[in-house]
Short mmCIF file of all heavy atoms in Angstrom, two decimals:
data_model
loop_
_atom_site.label_atom_id
_atom_site.label_comp_id
_atom_site.label_asym_id
_atom_site.label_seq_id
_atom_site.Cartn_x
_atom_site.Cartn_y
_atom_site.Cartn_z
N SER A 22 52.85 -1.07 7.85
CA SER A 22 54.25 -1.37 8.08
C SER A 22 54.45 -2.05 9.43
O SER A 22 55.14 -3.07 9.54
CB SER A 22 55.07 -0.08 8.01
OG SER A 22 56.37 -0.29 8.47
N LYS A 23 53.83 -1.49 10.44
CA LYS A 23 53.94 -2.04 11.80
C LYS A 23 53.29 -3.43 11.88
O LYS A 23 53.86 -4.37 12.42
CB LYS A 23 53.29 -1.09 12.79
CG LYS A 23 53.34 -1.54 14.22
CD LYS A 23 52.66 -0.52 15.14
CE LYS A 23 52.60 -1.07 16.56
NZ LYS A 23 51.79 -0.21 17.42
N ASP A 24 52.08 -3.55 11.32
CA ASP A 24 51.33 -4.81 11.40
C ASP A 24 52.04 -5.96 10.69
O ASP A 24 51.96 -7.11 11.13
CB ASP A 24 49.93 -4.64 10.80
CG ASP A 24 49.04 -3.73 11.64
OD1 ASP A 24 49.40 -3.41 12.80
OD2 ASP A 24 47.98 -3.31 11.12
N LEU A 25 52.72 -5.66 9.58
CA LEU A 25 53.36 -6.72 8.79
C LEU A 25 54.88 -6.80 9.00
O LEU A 25 55.54 -7.63 8.39
CB LEU A 25 53.07 -6.53 7.30
CG LEU A 25 51.61 -6.66 6.86
CD1 LEU A 25 51.48 -6.47 5.36
CD2 LEU A 25 51.03 -8.00 7.29
N SER A 26 55.40 -5.90 9.84
CA SER A 26 56.85 -5.85 10.08
C SER A 26 57.62 -5.67 8.78
O SER A 26 58.59 -6.38 8.50
CB SER A 26 57.33 -7.11 10.83
OG SER A 26 56.69 -7.21 12.08
N ILE A 27 57.13 -4.74 7.98
CA ILE A 27 57.74 -4.39 6.69
C ILE A 27 58.01 -2.89 6.74
O ILE A 27 57.19 -2.13 7.24
CB ILE A 27 56.80 -4.74 5.52
CG1 ILE A 27 56.58 -6.24 5.44
CG2 ILE A 27 57.33 -4.21 4.20
CD1 ILE A 27 55.51 -6.67 4.46
N GLY A 28 59.12 -2.46 6.20
CA GLY A 28 59.45 -1.04 6.21
C GLY A 28 58.41 -0.20 5.49
O GLY A 28 57.89 -0.60 4.45
N GLN A 29 58.12 0.98 6.05
CA GLN A 29 57.16 1.87 5.42
C GLN A 29 57.63 2.30 4.03
O GLN A 29 56.82 2.45 3.12
CB GLN A 29 56.92 3.10 6.31
CG GLN A 29 55.84 4.00 5.76
CD GLN A 29 55.54 5.18 6.68
OE1 GLN A 29 55.98 5.22 7.83
NE2 GLN A 29 54.80 6.14 6.18
N ALA A 30 58.94 2.47 3.87
CA ALA A 30 59.47 2.84 2.55
C ALA A 30 59.17 1.76 1.52
O ALA A 30 58.87 2.06 0.36
CB ALA A 30 60.97 3.10 2.64
N THR A 31 59.24 0.50 1.94
CA THR A 31 58.94 -0.62 1.04
C THR A 31 57.49 -0.55 0.58
O THR A 31 57.19 -0.70 -0.60
CB THR A 31 59.23 -1.96 1.73
OG1 THR A 31 60.60 -2.00 2.10
CG2 THR A 31 58.90 -3.14 0.83
N ILE A 32 56.59 -0.31 1.52
CA ILE A 32 55.17 -0.22 1.19
C ILE A 32 54.93 0.96 0.24
O ILE A 32 54.18 0.84 -0.73
CB ILE A 32 54.32 -0.10 2.47
CG1 ILE A 32 54.41 -1.43 3.24
CG2 ILE A 32 52.88 0.26 2.16
CD1 ILE A 32 53.92 -1.39 4.65
N SER A 33 55.58 2.07 0.50
CA SER A 33 55.47 3.23 -0.38
C SER A 33 55.95 2.89 -1.79
O SER A 33 55.33 3.28 -2.78
CB SER A 33 56.28 4.39 0.19
OG SER A 33 56.26 5.49 -0.69
N GLN A 34 57.05 2.14 -1.89
CA GLN A 34 57.58 1.74 -3.20
C GLN A 34 56.59 0.83 -3.92
O GLN A 34 56.42 0.94 -5.13
CB GLN A 34 58.93 1.06 -3.04
CG GLN A 34 60.03 2.01 -2.64
CD GLN A 34 61.34 1.29 -2.35
OE1 GLN A 34 61.40 0.07 -2.22
NE2 GLN A 34 62.41 2.07 -2.23
N TRP A 35 55.95 -0.08 -3.19
CA TRP A 35 54.95 -0.95 -3.82
C TRP A 35 53.80 -0.12 -4.37
O TRP A 35 53.34 -0.35 -5.48
CB TRP A 35 54.37 -1.95 -2.82
CG TRP A 35 55.33 -2.97 -2.29
CD1 TRP A 35 56.55 -3.32 -2.79
CD2 TRP A 35 55.13 -3.76 -1.12
NE1 TRP A 35 57.12 -4.29 -2.00
CE2 TRP A 35 56.27 -4.58 -0.97
CE3 TRP A 35 54.11 -3.86 -0.18
CZ2 TRP A 35 56.40 -5.49 0.07
CZ3 TRP A 35 54.25 -4.77 0.86
CH2 TRP A 35 55.38 -5.57 0.97
N GLU A 36 53.31 0.82 -3.55
CA GLU A 36 52.14 1.60 -3.94
C GLU A 36 52.44 2.62 -5.04
O GLU A 36 51.53 3.09 -5.71
CB GLU A 36 51.55 2.30 -2.73
CG GLU A 36 50.89 1.34 -1.76
CD GLU A 36 50.16 2.02 -0.62
OE1 GLU A 36 50.09 3.27 -0.60
OE2 GLU A 36 49.66 1.30 0.26
N SER A 37 53.70 2.96 -5.21
CA SER A 37 54.05 3.89 -6.28
C SER A 37 54.56 3.17 -7.53
O SER A 37 54.86 3.80 -8.54
CB SER A 37 55.11 4.88 -5.79
OG SER A 37 56.30 4.20 -5.46
N GLY A 38 54.66 1.83 -7.47
CA GLY A 38 55.08 1.06 -8.63
C GLY A 38 56.58 1.00 -8.82
O GLY A 38 57.06 0.49 -9.83
N VAL A 39 57.35 1.49 -7.84
CA VAL A 39 58.81 1.44 -7.92
C VAL A 39 59.31 0.00 -7.79
O VAL A 39 60.26 -0.40 -8.45
CB VAL A 39 59.45 2.35 -6.84
CG1 VAL A 39 60.96 2.15 -6.76
CG2 VAL A 39 59.10 3.80 -7.10
N SER A 40 58.65 -0.77 -6.94
CA SER A 40 59.00 -2.18 -6.77
C SER A 40 57.72 -2.97 -6.54
O SER A 40 56.64 -2.39 -6.38
CB SER A 40 59.98 -2.37 -5.61
OG SER A 40 59.36 -2.04 -4.38
N LYS A 41 57.85 -4.28 -6.54
CA LYS A 41 56.70 -5.16 -6.33
C LYS A 41 56.97 -6.07 -5.14
O LYS A 41 58.12 -6.40 -4.84
CB LYS A 41 56.45 -5.99 -7.58
CG LYS A 41 56.08 -5.17 -8.79
CD LYS A 41 55.57 -6.01 -9.90
CE LYS A 41 55.26 -5.28 -11.18
NZ LYS A 41 54.76 -3.97 -11.13
N PRO A 42 55.93 -6.49 -4.44
CA PRO A 42 56.11 -7.38 -3.30
C PRO A 42 56.66 -8.74 -3.72
O PRO A 42 56.37 -9.22 -4.82
CB PRO A 42 54.71 -7.54 -2.72
CG PRO A 42 53.83 -6.61 -3.46
CD PRO A 42 54.54 -6.13 -4.67
N THR A 43 57.44 -9.34 -2.84
CA THR A 43 57.93 -10.70 -3.05
C THR A 43 56.77 -11.68 -2.86
O THR A 43 55.69 -11.30 -2.39
CB THR A 43 59.04 -11.05 -2.05
OG1 THR A 43 58.47 -11.03 -0.73
CG2 THR A 43 60.21 -10.09 -2.14
N ALA A 44 57.01 -12.94 -3.16
CA ALA A 44 55.99 -13.97 -2.97
C ALA A 44 55.57 -14.04 -1.50
O ALA A 44 54.37 -14.15 -1.19
CB ALA A 44 56.50 -15.32 -3.45
N ASP A 45 56.53 -13.97 -0.59
CA ASP A 45 56.21 -14.01 0.84
C ASP A 45 55.37 -12.80 1.24
O ASP A 45 54.41 -12.92 2.02
CB ASP A 45 57.48 -14.06 1.69
CG ASP A 45 58.18 -15.40 1.62
OD1 ASP A 45 57.54 -16.40 1.21
OD2 ASP A 45 59.37 -15.46 1.97
N ALA A 46 55.72 -11.63 0.73
CA ALA A 46 54.97 -10.42 1.05
C ALA A 46 53.55 -10.50 0.47
O ALA A 46 52.59 -10.07 1.11
CB ALA A 46 55.70 -9.18 0.54
N LEU A 47 53.41 -11.04 -0.73
CA LEU A 47 52.08 -11.20 -1.33
C LEU A 47 51.20 -12.09 -0.46
O LEU A 47 50.03 -11.80 -0.25
CB LEU A 47 52.19 -11.83 -2.73
CG LEU A 47 52.48 -10.89 -3.87
CD1 LEU A 47 52.76 -11.67 -5.15
CD2 LEU A 47 51.35 -9.91 -4.09
N THR A 48 51.78 -13.16 0.04
CA THR A 48 51.03 -14.07 0.91
C THR A 48 50.60 -13.35 2.18
O THR A 48 49.45 -13.46 2.62
CB THR A 48 51.87 -15.31 1.25
OG1 THR A 48 52.22 -15.97 0.03
CG2 THR A 48 51.12 -16.27 2.13
N ALA A 49 51.52 -12.58 2.78
CA ALA A 49 51.21 -11.83 4.00
C ALA A 49 50.11 -10.80 3.74
O ALA A 49 49.18 -10.65 4.54
CB ALA A 49 52.47 -11.17 4.55
N LEU A 50 50.22 -10.08 2.62
CA LEU A 50 49.21 -9.08 2.27
C LEU A 50 47.84 -9.74 2.03
O LEU A 50 46.81 -9.22 2.46
CB LEU A 50 49.64 -8.31 1.02
CG LEU A 50 50.80 -7.34 1.20
CD1 LEU A 50 51.41 -6.98 -0.15
CD2 LEU A 50 50.34 -6.09 1.95
#
Side-chain angles (χ1 to χ4, degrees):
S22 168
K23 180 180 174 188
D24 292 347
L25 296 181
S26 300
I27 296 171
Q29 185 177 348
T31 300
I32 292 166
S33 176
Q34 289 174 348
W35 295 343
E36 290 186 4
S37 63
V39 171
S40 66
K41 296 192 184 326
T43 64
D45 288 341
L47 277 172
T48 301
L50 289 162

